[in-house]
PDB file of all heavy atoms in Angstrom:
ATOM      1  N   PRO A   1       7.214  -6.753  10.684  1.00  0.00           N
ATOM      2  CA  PRO A   1       7.719  -6.460   9.335  1.00  0.00           C
ATOM      3  C   PRO A   1       8.466  -5.134   9.290  1.00  0.00           C
ATOM      4  O   PRO A   1       8.145  -4.207  10.046  1.00  0.00           O
ATOM      5  CB  PRO A   1       6.438  -6.395   8.495  1.00  0.00           C
ATOM      6  CG  PRO A   1       5.415  -7.151   9.272  1.00  0.00           C
ATOM      7  CD  PRO A   1       5.763  -6.947  10.711  1.00  0.00           C
ATOM      8  N   VAL A   2       9.457  -5.047   8.418  1.00  0.00           N
ATOM      9  CA  VAL A   2      10.245  -3.820   8.283  1.00  0.00           C
ATOM     10  C   VAL A   2       9.343  -2.621   7.994  1.00  0.00           C
ATOM     11  O   VAL A   2       9.582  -1.506   8.473  1.00  0.00           O
ATOM     12  CB  VAL A   2      11.301  -3.993   7.167  1.00  0.00           C
ATOM     13  CG1 VAL A   2      11.992  -2.676   6.873  1.00  0.00           C
ATOM     14  CG2 VAL A   2      12.328  -5.043   7.570  1.00  0.00           C
ATOM     15  N   LYS A   3       8.283  -2.854   7.239  1.00  0.00           N
ATOM     16  CA  LYS A   3       7.391  -1.749   6.864  1.00  0.00           C
ATOM     17  C   LYS A   3       6.804  -1.026   8.073  1.00  0.00           C
ATOM     18  O   LYS A   3       6.484   0.162   8.005  1.00  0.00           O
ATOM     19  CB  LYS A   3       6.241  -2.274   5.995  1.00  0.00           C
ATOM     20  CG  LYS A   3       6.621  -2.624   4.567  1.00  0.00           C
ATOM     21  CD  LYS A   3       5.389  -3.078   3.806  1.00  0.00           C
ATOM     22  CE  LYS A   3       5.709  -3.379   2.352  1.00  0.00           C
ATOM     23  NZ  LYS A   3       4.495  -3.802   1.612  1.00  0.00           N
ATOM     24  N   THR A   4       6.623  -1.756   9.180  1.00  0.00           N
ATOM     25  CA  THR A   4       5.983  -1.118  10.333  1.00  0.00           C
ATOM     26  C   THR A   4       6.869  -0.039  10.955  1.00  0.00           C
ATOM     27  O   THR A   4       6.421   0.714  11.818  1.00  0.00           O
ATOM     28  CB  THR A   4       5.629  -2.161  11.415  1.00  0.00           C
ATOM     29  OG1 THR A   4       6.832  -2.845  11.818  1.00  0.00           O
ATOM     30  CG2 THR A   4       4.631  -3.169  10.887  1.00  0.00           C
ATOM     31  N   GLY A   5       8.117   0.050  10.519  1.00  0.00           N
ATOM     32  CA  GLY A   5       8.990   1.124  10.986  1.00  0.00           C
ATOM     33  C   GLY A   5       8.597   2.479  10.425  1.00  0.00           C
ATOM     34  O   GLY A   5       9.068   3.515  10.900  1.00  0.00           O
ATOM     35  N   PHE A   6       7.723   2.496   9.422  1.00  0.00           N
ATOM     36  CA  PHE A   6       7.263   3.757   8.821  1.00  0.00           C
ATOM     37  C   PHE A   6       5.908   4.124   9.425  1.00  0.00           C
ATOM     38  O   PHE A   6       4.939   3.385   9.271  1.00  0.00           O
ATOM     39  CB  PHE A   6       7.146   3.618   7.305  1.00  0.00           C
ATOM     40  CG  PHE A   6       8.457   3.378   6.627  1.00  0.00           C
ATOM     41  CD1 PHE A   6       8.964   2.088   6.488  1.00  0.00           C
ATOM     42  CD2 PHE A   6       9.211   4.440   6.122  1.00  0.00           C
ATOM     43  CE1 PHE A   6      10.189   1.870   5.874  1.00  0.00           C
ATOM     44  CE2 PHE A   6      10.426   4.221   5.509  1.00  0.00           C
ATOM     45  CZ  PHE A   6      10.922   2.932   5.384  1.00  0.00           C
ATOM     46  N   LYS A   7       5.856   5.256  10.100  1.00  0.00           N
ATOM     47  CA  LYS A   7       4.638   5.682  10.785  1.00  0.00           C
ATOM     48  C   LYS A   7       4.159   7.023  10.226  1.00  0.00           C
ATOM     49  O   LYS A   7       4.962   7.914   9.972  1.00  0.00           O
ATOM     50  CB  LYS A   7       4.916   5.805  12.290  1.00  0.00           C
ATOM     51  CG  LYS A   7       3.685   6.136  13.131  1.00  0.00           C
ATOM     52  CD  LYS A   7       4.042   6.220  14.597  1.00  0.00           C
ATOM     53  CE  LYS A   7       2.812   6.487  15.456  1.00  0.00           C
ATOM     54  NZ  LYS A   7       2.117   7.732  15.074  1.00  0.00           N
ATOM     55  N   ALA A   8       2.852   7.120  10.047  1.00  0.00           N
ATOM     56  CA  ALA A   8       2.276   8.383   9.578  1.00  0.00           C
ATOM     57  C   ALA A   8       2.438   9.456  10.647  1.00  0.00           C
ATOM     58  O   ALA A   8       2.495   9.151  11.845  1.00  0.00           O
ATOM     59  CB  ALA A   8       0.799   8.187   9.243  1.00  0.00           C
ATOM     60  N   ARG A   9       2.486  10.717  10.225  1.00  0.00           N
ATOM     61  CA  ARG A   9       2.564  11.792  11.201  1.00  0.00           C
ATOM     62  C   ARG A   9       1.242  11.904  11.958  1.00  0.00           C
ATOM     63  O   ARG A   9       0.217  11.376  11.514  1.00  0.00           O
ATOM     64  CB  ARG A   9       2.916  13.115  10.515  1.00  0.00           C
ATOM     65  CG  ARG A   9       1.827  13.716   9.676  1.00  0.00           C
ATOM     66  CD  ARG A   9       2.152  15.172   9.311  1.00  0.00           C
ATOM     67  NE  ARG A   9       3.332  15.257   8.459  1.00  0.00           N
ATOM     68  CZ  ARG A   9       3.276  15.507   7.152  1.00  0.00           C
ATOM     69  NH1 ARG A   9       2.110  15.702   6.569  1.00  0.00           N
ATOM     70  NH2 ARG A   9       4.374  15.585   6.433  1.00  0.00           N
ATOM     71  N   ASP A  10       1.270  12.554  13.077  1.00  0.00           N
ATOM     72  CA  ASP A  10       0.070  12.677  13.918  1.00  0.00           C
ATOM     73  C   ASP A  10      -1.091  13.275  13.128  1.00  0.00           C
ATOM     74  O   ASP A  10      -0.944  14.294  12.447  1.00  0.00           O
ATOM     75  CB  ASP A  10       0.355  13.572  15.134  1.00  0.00           C
ATOM     76  CG  ASP A  10       1.300  12.908  16.128  1.00  0.00           C
ATOM     77  OD1 ASP A  10       1.460  11.674  16.027  1.00  0.00           O
ATOM     78  OD2 ASP A  10       1.865  13.621  16.974  1.00  0.00           O
ATOM     79  N   GLY A  11      -2.240  12.609  13.239  1.00  0.00           N
ATOM     80  CA  GLY A  11      -3.437  13.087  12.553  1.00  0.00           C
ATOM     81  C   GLY A  11      -3.514  12.678  11.096  1.00  0.00           C
ATOM     82  O   GLY A  11      -4.463  13.046  10.397  1.00  0.00           O
ATOM     83  N   TRP A  12      -2.531  11.919  10.621  1.00  0.00           N
ATOM     84  CA  TRP A  12      -2.492  11.454   9.226  1.00  0.00           C
ATOM     85  C   TRP A  12      -2.497   9.923   9.193  1.00  0.00           C
ATOM     86  O   TRP A  12      -2.236   9.266  10.205  1.00  0.00           O
ATOM     87  CB  TRP A  12      -1.236  11.978   8.517  1.00  0.00           C
ATOM     88  CG  TRP A  12      -1.279  13.435   8.165  1.00  0.00           C
ATOM     89  CD1 TRP A  12      -1.584  14.480   8.997  1.00  0.00           C
ATOM     90  CD2 TRP A  12      -1.002  14.006   6.885  1.00  0.00           C
ATOM     91  NE1 TRP A  12      -1.517  15.679   8.322  1.00  0.00           N
ATOM     92  CE2 TRP A  12      -1.152  15.422   7.021  1.00  0.00           C
ATOM     93  CE3 TRP A  12      -0.635  13.496   5.646  1.00  0.00           C
ATOM     94  CZ2 TRP A  12      -0.961  16.305   5.952  1.00  0.00           C
ATOM     95  CZ3 TRP A  12      -0.436  14.374   4.589  1.00  0.00           C
ATOM     96  CH2 TRP A  12      -0.604  15.754   4.736  1.00  0.00           C
ATOM     97  N   VAL A  13      -2.769   9.373   8.011  1.00  0.00           N
ATOM     98  CA  VAL A  13      -2.703   7.922   7.791  1.00  0.00           C
ATOM     99  C   VAL A  13      -2.074   7.648   6.428  1.00  0.00           C
ATOM    100  O   VAL A  13      -2.028   8.524   5.562  1.00  0.00           O
ATOM    101  CB  VAL A  13      -4.100   7.260   7.838  1.00  0.00           C
ATOM    102  CG1 VAL A  13      -4.673   7.282   9.231  1.00  0.00           C
ATOM    103  CG2 VAL A  13      -5.039   7.919   6.831  1.00  0.00           C
ATOM    104  N   PHE A  14      -1.600   6.431   6.285  1.00  0.00           N
ATOM    105  CA  PHE A  14      -1.185   5.947   4.978  1.00  0.00           C
ATOM    106  C   PHE A  14      -2.400   5.316   4.306  1.00  0.00           C
ATOM    107  O   PHE A  14      -3.233   4.677   4.975  1.00  0.00           O
ATOM    108  CB  PHE A  14      -0.096   4.877   5.085  1.00  0.00           C
ATOM    109  CG  PHE A  14       1.230   5.380   5.574  1.00  0.00           C
ATOM    110  CD1 PHE A  14       1.838   4.805   6.668  1.00  0.00           C
ATOM    111  CD2 PHE A  14       1.873   6.420   4.923  1.00  0.00           C
ATOM    112  CE1 PHE A  14       3.068   5.259   7.121  1.00  0.00           C
ATOM    113  CE2 PHE A  14       3.100   6.889   5.369  1.00  0.00           C
ATOM    114  CZ  PHE A  14       3.699   6.304   6.467  1.00  0.00           C
ATOM    115  N   VAL A  15      -2.520   5.469   2.997  1.00  0.00           N
ATOM    116  CA  VAL A  15      -3.545   4.765   2.232  1.00  0.00           C
ATOM    117  C   VAL A  15      -2.861   4.171   1.010  1.00  0.00           C
ATOM    118  O   VAL A  15      -2.117   4.851   0.306  1.00  0.00           O
ATOM    119  CB  VAL A  15      -4.727   5.700   1.844  1.00  0.00           C
ATOM    120  CG1 VAL A  15      -4.247   6.938   1.098  1.00  0.00           C
ATOM    121  CG2 VAL A  15      -5.752   4.951   1.009  1.00  0.00           C
ATOM    122  N   GLU A  16      -3.086   2.886   0.804  1.00  0.00           N
ATOM    123  CA  GLU A  16      -2.399   2.150  -0.259  1.00  0.00           C
ATOM    124  C   GLU A  16      -3.415   1.425  -1.134  1.00  0.00           C
ATOM    125  O   GLU A  16      -4.387   0.855  -0.622  1.00  0.00           O
ATOM    126  CB  GLU A  16      -1.432   1.133   0.353  1.00  0.00           C
ATOM    127  CG  GLU A  16      -0.647   0.339  -0.685  1.00  0.00           C
ATOM    128  CD  GLU A  16       0.249  -0.715  -0.049  1.00  0.00           C
ATOM    129  OE1 GLU A  16      -0.287  -1.713   0.471  1.00  0.00           O
ATOM    130  OE2 GLU A  16       1.472  -0.535  -0.062  1.00  0.00           O
ATOM    131  N   ALA A  17      -3.180   1.445  -2.424  1.00  0.00           N
ATOM    132  CA  ALA A  17      -4.005   0.680  -3.356  1.00  0.00           C
ATOM    133  C   ALA A  17      -3.088  -0.199  -4.196  1.00  0.00           C
ATOM    134  O   ALA A  17      -2.026   0.250  -4.633  1.00  0.00           O
ATOM    135  CB  ALA A  17      -4.819   1.612  -4.261  1.00  0.00           C
ATOM    136  N   ASP A  18      -3.486  -1.449  -4.382  1.00  0.00           N
ATOM    137  CA  ASP A  18      -2.697  -2.337  -5.239  1.00  0.00           C
ATOM    138  C   ASP A  18      -3.629  -3.081  -6.182  1.00  0.00           C
ATOM    139  O   ASP A  18      -4.770  -3.390  -5.836  1.00  0.00           O
ATOM    140  CB  ASP A  18      -1.855  -3.311  -4.418  1.00  0.00           C
ATOM    141  CG  ASP A  18      -2.715  -4.289  -3.637  1.00  0.00           C
ATOM    142  OD1 ASP A  18      -3.394  -3.839  -2.700  1.00  0.00           O
ATOM    143  OD2 ASP A  18      -2.727  -5.485  -3.963  1.00  0.00           O
ATOM    144  N   TYR A  19      -3.131  -3.335  -7.380  1.00  0.00           N
ATOM    145  CA  TYR A  19      -3.933  -4.022  -8.384  1.00  0.00           C
ATOM    146  C   TYR A  19      -4.191  -5.472  -7.970  1.00  0.00           C
ATOM    147  O   TYR A  19      -3.280  -6.172  -7.531  1.00  0.00           O
ATOM    148  CB  TYR A  19      -3.227  -3.994  -9.738  1.00  0.00           C
ATOM    149  CG  TYR A  19      -3.243  -2.638 -10.400  1.00  0.00           C
ATOM    150  CD1 TYR A  19      -2.059  -1.968 -10.681  1.00  0.00           C
ATOM    151  CD2 TYR A  19      -4.439  -2.030 -10.749  1.00  0.00           C
ATOM    152  CE1 TYR A  19      -2.068  -0.718 -11.291  1.00  0.00           C
ATOM    153  CE2 TYR A  19      -4.462  -0.787 -11.363  1.00  0.00           C
ATOM    154  CZ  TYR A  19      -3.279  -0.135 -11.633  1.00  0.00           C
ATOM    155  OH  TYR A  19      -3.295   1.101 -12.227  1.00  0.00           O
ATOM    156  N   LYS A  20      -5.441  -5.906  -8.110  1.00  0.00           N
ATOM    157  CA  LYS A  20      -5.821  -7.272  -7.747  1.00  0.00           C
ATOM    158  C   LYS A  20      -5.460  -8.238  -8.872  1.00  0.00           C
ATOM    159  O   LYS A  20      -5.928  -8.080  -9.997  1.00  0.00           O
ATOM    160  CB  LYS A  20      -7.325  -7.344  -7.464  1.00  0.00           C
ATOM    161  CG  LYS A  20      -7.765  -6.579  -6.240  1.00  0.00           C
ATOM    162  CD  LYS A  20      -9.201  -6.892  -5.860  1.00  0.00           C
ATOM    163  CE  LYS A  20     -10.192  -6.279  -6.802  1.00  0.00           C
ATOM    164  NZ  LYS A  20     -11.592  -6.424  -6.326  1.00  0.00           N
ATOM    165  N   SER A  21      -4.617  -9.240  -8.549  1.00  0.00           N
ATOM    166  CA  SER A  21      -4.244 -10.267  -9.522  1.00  0.00           C
ATOM    167  C   SER A  21      -3.867  -9.635 -10.861  1.00  0.00           C
ATOM    168  O   SER A  21      -4.326 -10.069 -11.924  1.00  0.00           O
ATOM    169  CB  SER A  21      -5.394 -11.269  -9.720  1.00  0.00           C
ATOM    170  OG  SER A  21      -5.764 -11.858  -8.499  1.00  0.00           O
ATOM    171  N   ALA A  22      -3.031  -8.601 -10.800  1.00  0.00           N
ATOM    172  CA  ALA A  22      -2.729  -7.803 -11.987  1.00  0.00           C
ATOM    173  C   ALA A  22      -2.168  -8.630 -13.135  1.00  0.00           C
ATOM    174  O   ALA A  22      -2.619  -8.523 -14.278  1.00  0.00           O
ATOM    175  CB  ALA A  22      -1.748  -6.684 -11.628  1.00  0.00           C
ATOM    176  N   GLU A  23      -1.165  -9.481 -12.833  1.00  0.00           N
ATOM    177  CA  GLU A  23      -0.545 -10.263 -13.909  1.00  0.00           C
ATOM    178  C   GLU A  23      -1.535 -11.255 -14.521  1.00  0.00           C
ATOM    179  O   GLU A  23      -1.531 -11.497 -15.720  1.00  0.00           O
ATOM    180  CB  GLU A  23       0.687 -11.017 -13.390  1.00  0.00           C
ATOM    181  CG  GLU A  23       1.878 -10.127 -13.101  1.00  0.00           C
ATOM    182  CD  GLU A  23       1.923  -9.713 -11.647  1.00  0.00           C
ATOM    183  OE1 GLU A  23       0.901  -9.911 -10.942  1.00  0.00           O
ATOM    184  OE2 GLU A  23       2.962  -9.186 -11.211  1.00  0.00           O
ATOM    185  N   LEU A  24      -2.404 -11.806 -13.671  1.00  0.00           N
ATOM    186  CA  LEU A  24      -3.384 -12.789 -14.142  1.00  0.00           C
ATOM    187  C   LEU A  24      -4.339 -12.158 -15.147  1.00  0.00           C
ATOM    188  O   LEU A  24      -4.576 -12.694 -16.236  1.00  0.00           O
ATOM    189  CB  LEU A  24      -4.149 -13.336 -12.938  1.00  0.00           C
ATOM    190  CG  LEU A  24      -4.829 -14.693 -13.089  1.00  0.00           C
ATOM    191  CD1 LEU A  24      -3.810 -15.776 -13.317  1.00  0.00           C
ATOM    192  CD2 LEU A  24      -5.656 -14.998 -11.856  1.00  0.00           C
ATOM    193  N   PHE A  25      -4.904 -11.005 -14.780  1.00  0.00           N
ATOM    194  CA  PHE A  25      -5.843 -10.331 -15.675  1.00  0.00           C
ATOM    195  C   PHE A  25      -5.130  -9.781 -16.911  1.00  0.00           C
ATOM    196  O   PHE A  25      -5.692  -9.800 -18.015  1.00  0.00           O
ATOM    197  CB  PHE A  25      -6.569  -9.209 -14.928  1.00  0.00           C
ATOM    198  CG  PHE A  25      -7.690  -9.700 -14.063  1.00  0.00           C
ATOM    199  CD1 PHE A  25      -7.460 -10.068 -12.749  1.00  0.00           C
ATOM    200  CD2 PHE A  25      -8.972  -9.820 -14.567  1.00  0.00           C
ATOM    201  CE1 PHE A  25      -8.490 -10.537 -11.944  1.00  0.00           C
ATOM    202  CE2 PHE A  25     -10.010 -10.283 -13.785  1.00  0.00           C
ATOM    203  CZ  PHE A  25      -9.770 -10.654 -12.458  1.00  0.00           C
ATOM    204  N   THR A  26      -3.902  -9.314 -16.741  1.00  0.00           N
ATOM    205  CA  THR A  26      -3.150  -8.816 -17.891  1.00  0.00           C
ATOM    206  C   THR A  26      -2.877  -9.935 -18.881  1.00  0.00           C
ATOM    207  O   THR A  26      -2.995  -9.744 -20.096  1.00  0.00           O
ATOM    208  CB  THR A  26      -1.821  -8.182 -17.429  1.00  0.00           C
ATOM    209  OG1 THR A  26      -2.115  -7.072 -16.570  1.00  0.00           O
ATOM    210  CG2 THR A  26      -1.007  -7.676 -18.606  1.00  0.00           C
ATOM    211  N   LEU A  27      -2.528 -11.111 -18.380  1.00  0.00           N
ATOM    212  CA  LEU A  27      -2.321 -12.272 -19.254  1.00  0.00           C
ATOM    213  C   LEU A  27      -3.594 -12.583 -20.030  1.00  0.00           C
ATOM    214  O   LEU A  27      -3.556 -12.824 -21.242  1.00  0.00           O
ATOM    215  CB  LEU A  27      -1.901 -13.476 -18.418  1.00  0.00           C
ATOM    216  CG  LEU A  27      -1.746 -14.809 -19.174  1.00  0.00           C
ATOM    217  CD1 LEU A  27      -0.641 -14.710 -20.219  1.00  0.00           C
ATOM    218  CD2 LEU A  27      -1.463 -15.949 -18.196  1.00  0.00           C
TER     219      LEU A  27
END
């Protein structure tokens, strides 16, 4: 995937949070 071209700097990590079934619960 294109996203894998983005790498964290040494000693760091990416952390991502996304809403679960956001549109479903919002509806």
Side-chain angles (χ1 to χ4, degrees):
V2 172
K3 286 182 177 181
T4 58
F6 295 86
K7 185 179 183 302
R9 71 167 65 105
D10 290 343
W12 286 51
V13 291
F14 291 125
V15 55
E16 181 183 71
D18 66 292
Y19 287 119
K20 293 191 287 188
S21 303
E23 288 94 347
L24 202 64
F25 281 89
T26 299
L27 176 63

